[in-house]
Amino acid sequence: MAKGYWIARVDVRDAERYKDYISTAKPAFEKYGANFLARGGSYHVLEGQARGRNIVIEFPSLQAAVDCYNSPEYQAAKAIRITVADAEMLVVEGV
């Protein structure tokens, strides 16, 4: 079974409140087997527009990745995130 990956690009507007998002999202990530492969850190823009924070999260399957996003636990975190950050997020299936 192919793994699923969240790819997120985020500009944080309020770093202190973003910590609330992270702590609220943690139970969803634990429940659905998330493994963070990249979370912030340095980066190099090769093409296009960059955001300040880039995240890649591996899940056991594409369905687990989608289920995590749609879970009540993550939706509670998302409600915080959208007030403190701008983001683009997608889920892709691994090879």
Side-chain angles (χ1 to χ4, degrees), residues 71-88:
S71 71
E73 297 90 347
Y74 185 75
Q75 290 301 304
K78 178 186 170 190
I80 297 168
R81 179 181 48 79
I82 62 175
T83 68
V84 300
D86 300 311
E88 290 134 8

Side-chain angles (χ1 to χ4, degrees), residues 9-42:
R9 299 176 341 112
V10 181
D11 282 330
V12 177
R13 295 187 313 271
D14 183 337
E16 282 304 308
R17 294 248 2 260
Y18 193 76
K19 292 175 187 177
D20 295 335
Y21 159 72
I22 292 170
S23 64
T24 304
K26 186 177 179 182
F29 293 142
E30 290 173 348
K31 179 177 180 179
Y32 290 94
N35 179 32
F36 284 79
L37 302 179
R39 184 180 351 188
S42 62

